[in-house]
Amino acid sequence: MKLRFNQVAVLWFRQHWWFVPAILLALLLGWGLGNWHLLQTQAQQSLALQQQGLQLQQVDTARAEALRQRDFLSTELAVERNTNLLLQQDIKDHQQKLFDLKKELAVYQKIVAPVPESGTLVIDSFRLQQGSAVGRYQFSLLLIEQNKQKKQSRAQIEIKLKGKRKKKIVEVDVLKLAGFNTKAKRLLIKNFRAVEGDFVLPAGFTAEKLEIRLTSNSGQGESTVLLKKEVAWDGQSEILD
């Protein structure tokens, strides 16, 4: 059987035969351009991924360095803080030792050379120092009974702060601020007695001087004796006889 072609189609093909290679060439170029564009896109994406990976690596390195610096600074601060605490504690320990030595010396002095006109009970020493918070203070008072034959002495203790509030002269009870009630201010003393406490200055109060008053039955024949000592207020004072 013989194939029969349309004469018009055959004629058109003979006249435009070059069109077929052009179409094939255009298809080939389109395919090539598509592949080239795809390769370019893949190359750009690969480059972008490499850059992102490099940036992530740089960020991780910077983060690790920052953490290392933080840990180093934290350790350094902790060491410095501990060193400061140890130094402060060492200073306090030396101050306490010095204070204790002064108290011991004062005890021996009073035993060897008592002052009979002021009674046998004496105010040996008073110490005032700043506390851990602003406006808070600690005090330590030592009373000594010089008459070793006496079983005990009775005394009434008062510690007053004199100063100003709103330009008016006022007096503040330190023992009351420290939580002492009336009964706690009455003392029974055998050989010696320490009175200690801490208090916070009232708001708006400006202290000028501190006064210690001791009323006892340590006079001759257990007569009443009044002792009084004053010290200028500076927030950190020490009195020794």
Side-chain angles (χ1 to χ4, degrees):
M1 181 178 178
K2 294 183 180 180
L3 294 175
R4 295 181 179 180
F5 295 96
N6 189 298
Q7 295 297 326
V8 176
V10 172
L11 181 61
W12 182 91
F13 181 77
R14 287 178 178 177
Q15 292 176 349
H16 301 88
W17 61 268
W18 54 269
F19 192 68
V20 174
I23 293 174
L24 294 175
L25 181 60
L27 292 174
L28 182 61
L29 289 175
W31 178 80
L33 287 173
N35 286 341
W36 178 82
H37 181 70
L38 178 62
L39 291 174
Q40 288 294 105
T41 302
Q42 290 177 344
Q44 291 176 356
Q45 290 178 347
S46 177
L47 180 60
L49 288 175
Q50 289 179 0
Q51 291 176 345
Q52 289 178 354
L54 181 60
Q55 290 176 352
L56 288 175
Q57 184 178 2
Q58 291 174 346
V59 170
D60 288 339
T61 303
R63 179 175 175 272
E65 179 64 20
L67 291 174
R68 190 186 68 80
Q69 289 290 338
R70 185 200 64 181
D71 294 340
F72 175 76
L73 291 175
S74 298
T75 303
E76 191 175 42
L77 288 174
V79 171
E80 184 177 354
R81 189 182 299 112
N82 290 335
T83 301
N84 288 335
L85 290 175
L86 290 174
L87 288 175
Q88 291 176 4
Q89 186 60 46
D90 191 46
I91 291 173
K92 288 182 179 179
D93 291 343
H94 281 85
Q95 289 177 339
Q96 186 61 46
K97 289 179 181 178
L98 178 60
F99 186 65
D100 292 341
L101 287 173
K102 288 182 178 180
K103 289 194 296 185
E104 186 176 352
L105 177 61
V107 171
Y108 291 140
Q109 288 176 337
K110 289 176 176 59
I111 292 174
V112 175
V115 185
E117 62 270 16
S118 62
T120 57
L121 183 64
V122 296
I123 299 173
D124 174 73
S125 59
F126 177 79
R127 185 183 184 188
L128 176 71
Q129 62 182 1
Q130 293 183 355
S132 57
V134 177
R136 179 174 291 276
Y137 296 90
Q138 299 173 343
F139 67 88
S140 175
L141 175 68
L142 180 64
L143 306 175
I144 294 178
E145 173 55 68
Q146 298 176 105
N147 186 354
K148 300 305 175 183
Q149 304 302 319
K150 196 170 186 178
K151 291 184 178 180
Q152 63 182 13
S153 297
R154 297 187 304 273
Q156 177 84 17
I157 185 70
E158 294 288 341
I159 303 177
K160 302 290 185 178
L161 262 180
K162 297 182 179 180
K164 293 181 180 179
R165 178 187 286 168
K166 296 181 180 180
K167 298 182 180 181
K168 294 183 178 180
I169 298 176
V170 294
E171 187 175 79
V172 176
D173 189 336
V174 171
L175 294 179
K176 185 176 181 180
L177 292 177
F180 286 65
N181 55 28
T182 302
K183 183 178 180 181
K185 296 178 182 180
R186 300 191 188 105
L187 308 175
L188 291 177
I189 303 168
K190 174 64 176 177
N191 295 330
F192 67 91
R193 177 73 179 267
V195 180
E196 299 177 335
D198 64 274
F199 64 95
V200 177
L201 281 180
F205 176 77
T206 302
E208 294 181 347
K209 64 180 178 179
L210 185 142
E211 182 181 85
I212 305 169
R213 303 171 189 167
L214 181 67
T215 304
S216 71
N217 66 336
S218 63
Q220 189 173 4
E222 295 197 353
S223 60
T224 301
V225 175
L226 174 63
L227 293 177
K228 183 189 298 184
K229 287 185 178 292
E230 286 188 354
V231 60
W233 172 268
D234 60 2
Q236 187 168 348
S237 302
E238 185 174 324
I239 308 171
L240 290 174
D241 272 354

